[in-house]
Amino acid sequence: MNTTVLALQEEQVLVAVGKSGAQPSVQALYSAPAHGGGMENWEKAIGALWQQHRLPTRGITLVLPDEAVATKTITAPSMPENKLEELVRHEMRPREDQLVAADYVPLGTDAEGRQQLFCAACRKETMEEYLAMTDRLGLHLENVTVTMAGRLKLLHAMQPMQGKTCIWLCFEGSSVLSLLVENGEYRYSSRNRIFSEPGTVDFGTEMTRDVSGTMQFHTASRSGGTLTDVYYAGCSDDDFEVCLAGIRGLGLEVSRLPECRVFRALPNGERLNDWLGCAEALIRVLRANKELDLLRSYRRLSRGSKKQTGLLHSFYTPIAVCLVVCAAVWCVFLRMNSSLSHRTDDINDWLNDPTVIEQYNEAAEKQQRNDNLVQGLQQVRNLTDALATYPQVDSTLMSKIGAAGGAQVSMVLTGYDAATGALQFDAQSGSVIDIPSYVLKLQKTGLFRKVDYTGYTYEDGVYVLSLNCILLGEEAAE
């Protein structure tokens, strides 16, 4: 099946043209700089590529940039596919009132037989921006996917990874994806911004620290399998050479990600390593029997909106017809009662009196001010009710959080959103912080509904773990 994969990345646009399948064939590869990304720069780069190479306008798979999507791994009981899709849409919504296009691919089952799902979602409004861009360019999309979906298909297609426990470092622009593989299966991933220039000593230190953090997660999870290797892709051997000593110092072997043998030879001697995020989307893994497709989910959302609009029309149309009939009867009645016309004229004269109009406008302004005051008071009450569900952020709460880290870990409050219960703070220690263990201790305090860590740094002998936690409200606690 002929397919064109269009991948939007931070610094460039990648295009792979070929036939998808269990053994995909890549016929041509193209790239164009995107100068920092953004809809305008992507549109210019895509337009130039299509015009220069006369690429196909149909059968296109769009790979969204990572910043446009949210991803998560969830556990679900055994249920039909339509129920799983409904569960995923609910789990991936950032807010109750926000619609998202969401889909999943199965990862297998855990020891208790529950399904493990890799989920991805994009806000409906964001999807519409990308679809509008492709429409302007005259491109007809077949499906919309995400980078990690292709990465998972590549993992399953690579024979050397079967039963392997290792780390993948996949570079893309100024960020790196750290992917943990345990016994040949996807376990965990995180994307971090790169602050150092590739090839420098600081770059080597940064990558070693990244690998060390993933090792800590693997150790804390106790999932089995001995971590043996680190593979890298998307970075030149010369730039990555500064990382070798530090990573090998952690007891790990380091090498470039091996080529995937299911691919036939890439054109012009290109390496798959340099086209990750694009060419891997051509793989069709038969065992999964499910492709992650956000376009299909978006179309279902749109059909649902149209059905709701149709219901509204069917509800209001009889009312409108009734109003029209009543208006016609009223006109006949007025004609039959011409004797009342002079009274109507008097009323009209009174309504058009400048004094009356001025009084009416003053009354309307006062009513508007009163409505605004009532609305503002209701907003204050709603905010007060929302705040009442969260524990008071005081020294007692800070002491409970601090106790989770013990004597060696101190915490510094960096932000608090009272409306959402989002609490941000930094955990600081002179020793390496065991991230999974510390996160688990915070969860066991019973204070938080959700605990996420957003960064991990080391400077001047101090390890700093940045966290974003959602306080547990009283209703949820009950």
Side-chain angles (χ1 to χ4, degrees), residues 25 140 406 440:
S25 173
H140 301 276
L440 183 61

Side-chain angles (χ1 to χ4, degrees), residues 407-443:
Q408 295 183 346
V409 180
S410 61
M411 62 84 68
V412 177
L413 183 66
T414 60
Y416 175 57
D417 185 349
T420 62
L423 184 72
Q424 297 90 31
F425 61 90
D426 289 344
Q428 300 180 352
S429 174
S431 303
V432 174
I433 300 175
D434 186 343
I435 297 174
S437 176
Y438 183 59
V439 169
L440 183 61
K441 289 179 180 178
L442 288 175
Q443 292 172 337

Side-chain angles (χ1 to χ4, degrees), residues 383-401:
L383 181 57
T384 302
D385 292 342
L387 290 174
T389 64
Y390 298 115
Q392 186 174 359
V393 179
D394 53 16
S395 58
T396 302
L397 179 66
M398 296 297 102
S399 298
K400 291 180 180 179
I401 298 174

Side-chain angles (χ1 to χ4, degrees), residues 36-308:
M39 204 67 68
E40 182 178 355
N41 291 328
W42 283 324
E43 186 169 350
K44 290 180 180 178
I46 296 169
L49 278 175
W50 253 255
Q51 183 177 10
Q52 179 181 357
H53 301 287
R54 300 186 180 276
L55 300 176
T57 59
R58 295 185 177 276
I60 295 174
T61 294
L62 176 64
V63 183
L64 294 178
D66 289 322
E67 61 266 24
V69 298
T71 60
K72 186 186 346 182
T73 302
I74 67 173
T75 301
S78 179
M79 62 177 69
E81 183 174 331
N82 61 333
K83 294 296 183 182
L84 282 176
E85 291 176 348
E86 182 179 346
L87 171 67
V88 170
R89 283 195 300 271
H90 181 270
E91 285 289 327
M92 298 303 290
R93 276 189 302 182
R95 297 198 311 265
E96 287 295 327
D97 61 342
Q98 195 169 82
L99 297 176
V100 295
D103 202 3
Y104 72 93
V105 287
L107 297 174
T109 57
D110 61 13
E112 299 177 3
R114 296 174 300 182
Q115 300 181 82
Q116 302 296 307
L117 309 177
F118 174 80
C119 309
C122 178
R123 293 175 61 247
K124 183 174 181 288
E125 295 80 1
T126 304
M127 275 287 292
E128 288 170 348
E129 293 179 8
Y130 287 103
L131 296 180
M133 178 187 69
T134 54
D135 284 343
R136 289 193 298 269
L137 293 166
L139 305 182
H140 301 276
L141 299 182
E142 182 177 294
N143 66 348
V144 176
T145 185
V146 299
T147 304
M148 270 300 299
R151 205 61 39 90
L152 293 174
K153 291 193 289 187
L154 181 63
L155 171 62
H156 290 149
M158 294 182 69
Q159 187 63 32
M161 296 297 155
Q162 304 305 310
K164 195 89 170 177
T165 298
C166 57
I167 297 172
W168 289 15
L169 295 179
C170 302
F171 294 85
E172 179 185 313
S174 58
S175 64
V176 59
L177 172 73
S178 300
L179 189 150
L180 175 62
V181 178
E182 291 182 347
N183 299 322
E185 298 293 339
Y186 168 80
R187 180 69 176 85
Y188 159 83
S189 63
S190 66
R191 181 172 294 276
N192 297 308
R193 179 69 62 179
I194 301 173
F195 297 99
S196 307
E197 184 71 22
T200 65
V201 175
D202 289 341
F203 177 73
T205 302
E206 200 171 341
M207 292 304 101
T208 302
R209 188 182 304 153
D210 191 289
V211 171
S212 176
T214 306
M215 287 181 66
Q216 291 183 36
F217 180 90
H218 167 71
T219 302
S221 66
R222 299 191 180 101
S223 301
T226 302
L227 189 60
T228 58
D229 291 86
V230 171
Y231 299 101
Y232 65 94
C235 181
S236 70
D237 295 338
D238 290 340
D239 286 341
F240 198 80
E241 186 176 1
V242 296
C243 310
L244 300 180
I247 297 176
R248 287 169 178 165
L250 298 174
L252 302 173
E253 296 293 328
V254 189
S255 59
R256 178 172 287 277
L257 187 68
E259 293 296 311
C260 182
R261 293 185 179 179
V262 301
F263 273 92
R264 301 170 191 175
L266 270 61
N268 302 321
E270 294 281 358
R271 297 184 304 183
L272 181 64
N273 275 264
D274 299 322
W275 295 89
L276 292 184
C278 177
E280 59 194 356
L282 290 170
I283 301 174
R284 294 291 182 267
V285 182
L286 299 179
R287 82 172 197 177
N289 200 28
K290 174 138 185 13
E291 293 285 334
L292 190 148
D293 187 1
L294 297 182
L295 181 59
R296 177 183 56 201
S297 177
Y298 170 79
R299 287 171 175 166
R300 289 176 180 172
L301 279 179
S302 300
R303 286 198 297 268
S305 300
K306 290 179 180 178
K307 288 181 181 178
Q308 291 179 355

Side-chain angles (χ1 to χ4, degrees), residues 307-376:
K307 288 181 181 178
Q308 291 179 355
T309 303
L311 289 173
L312 290 176
H313 281 306
S314 65
F315 178 78
Y316 285 116
T317 298
I319 297 177
V321 172
C322 182
L323 290 175
V324 170
V325 172
C326 290
V329 173
W330 179 249
C331 289
V332 173
F333 178 77
L334 286 178
R335 290 178 181 178
M336 293 175 62
N337 294 275
S338 58
S339 62
L340 298 177
S341 62
H342 66 282
R343 295 184 182 180
T344 304
D345 293 337
D346 292 341
I347 292 173
N348 287 332
D349 292 338
W350 180 81
L351 290 175
N352 292 321
D353 189 329
T355 304
V356 174
I357 293 175
E358 182 178 358
Q359 293 174 350
Y360 173 80
N361 290 337
E362 290 178 356
E365 290 176 0
K366 291 179 180 178
Q367 181 64 42
Q368 183 62 46
R369 287 198 297 270
N370 182 67
D371 291 343
N372 291 339
L373 289 173
V374 171
Q375 184 180 6

